Amino acid sequence: MAGQADNRAPYAKIAAHYMELISSGELRPGMLLPSIKSLSEEWKVSTATVEKALRKLRNEGLVRGIHGIGTEVVDQPASMSSGAQRQDRGRRTGSSWGAGERSDSHQAAVVPAPAEVAQALDMAPSSDVVRRSRVYRDRHGIVAHSTSWIPARYGKLIPQLAASERLTGGTSLQLIAQATGHPIRHRIDTASARTLTPEYARLLELDPDNPTAEPVVVMTAKFVDSEGNIVEYGVDLGGPGRTWRTESEVTP
């Protein structure tokens, strides 16, 4: 907790700690955070630092201040994350999971590339590709069904890419970069809203006979290495009702 070995400012450590507790469901909507004085003593920081951390949580929409009562956790829309965001997290932390997320249903196989995939990977239709799929979940349910399409030559170079198990030693992109010596240099992202199809319903574990009226957010990411090779094409189906959210620093 307060002794985390990282370079973040103290207020950011405090905010990140409570973001994790809220995202995991350990702190539920309606619950109160400790008082500013208690947090100041617990984390051995000034009250000004605590107030800055709480301001960050308020700006994130995770808590609200109630005069005379304290800081309350608020309910928030379930969010989804894209393959591009998971790549960023993997590069920063070594894990593609977001706060409170886990993954399961890991499956992999070498299959003929569907037309859309072959075009995205710039290869002939029906060429062999590694298809890796998994489901990301959090306390709200399915965050996204994620599929990575990878040229088969990388599966031969890294056999575990074609195994129906969670990868060890890094993400697929990290493993490919390590094996080839060519880092990922370029990424192309797209996002679109599509009608829920029976296939999408199956992947998202929904009842195809009672489809939701909400569209499905489909996000794709194409990853290109330093030699110009397209090494992966990712497709993410967001769970219905999910909100896609990004954050970035703005510099003057």
Side-chain angles (χ1 to χ4, degrees):
M1 197 173 69
Q4 292 182 64
D6 60 41
N7 296 320
R8 291 176 296 182
Y11 86 90
K13 294 181 183 180
I14 298 171
H17 174 71
Y18 282 98
M19 285 179 187
E20 173 62 28
L21 294 182
I22 294 169
S23 297
S24 68
E26 188 170 338
L27 282 177
R28 299 182 300 278
M31 296 179 70
L32 295 177
L33 268 59
S35 68
I36 291 177
K37 180 180 178 182
S38 295
L39 289 172
S40 175
E41 294 173 351
E42 178 183 357
W43 289 82
K44 297 180 174 56
V45 296
S46 68
T47 56
T49 295
V50 173
E51 289 171 347
K52 188 173 182 180
L54 296 180
R55 184 162 61 248
K56 179 172 177 59
L57 293 174
R58 289 196 300 271
N59 291 342
E60 294 284 340
L62 300 176
V63 302
R64 65 171 178 165
I66 304 177
H67 183 69
I69 296 179
T71 302
E72 179 188 52
V73 178
V74 299
D75 202 3
Q76 64 235 260
S79 62
M80 73 164 288
S81 57
S82 67
Q85 289 169 309
R86 285 194 286 275
Q87 185 217 10
D88 290 338
R89 279 198 297 263
R91 187 174 61 247
R92 292 195 312 268
T93 69
S95 172
S96 63
W97 294 339
E101 282 187 3
R102 65 187 190 282
S103 63
D104 57 35
S105 305
H106 291 255
Q107 297 182 3
V110 177
V111 300
E116 175 190 349
V117 173
Q119 182 177 10
L121 292 175
D122 194 23
M123 58 174 48
S126 298
S127 297
D128 282 350
V129 293
V130 175
R131 180 187 62 206
R132 293 191 56 83
S133 64
R134 58 273 187 204
V135 177
Y136 289 89
R137 307 177 193 270
D138 63 12
R139 65 188 179 89
H140 297 283
I142 290 183
V143 176
H145 181 282
S146 180
T147 304
S148 297
W149 301 90
I150 303 167
R153 65 180 181 275
Y154 297 115
K156 294 177 181 178
L157 187 62
I158 311 163
Q160 71 162 315
L161 290 179
S164 295
E165 299 174 354
R166 184 176 296 142
L167 295 175
T168 59
T171 65
S172 56
L173 292 169
Q174 290 171 326
L175 293 172
I176 292 171
Q178 290 167 8
T180 62
H182 305 315
I184 306 303
R185 293 297 191 203
H186 189 56
R187 186 177 76 200
I188 303 168
D189 301 316
T190 72
S192 61
R194 302 183 190 177
T195 303
L196 183 72
T197 65
E199 175 63 9
Y200 288 169
R202 182 185 69 80
L203 295 176
L204 294 172
E205 301 175 9
L206 301 171
D207 183 355
D209 295 325
N210 296 286
T212 175
E214 296 181 73
V216 175
V217 177
V218 179
M219 309 188 74
T220 73
K222 187 187 300 185
F223 300 93
V224 184
D225 70 12
S226 57
E227 299 296 297
N229 301 305
I230 303 171
V231 301
E232 185 171 316
Y233 176 59
V235 180
D236 288 272
L237 306 178
R242 293 278 171 169
T243 300
W244 183 52
R245 181 177 183 275
T246 63
E247 178 182 351
S248 58
E249 297 296 327
V250 178
T251 56

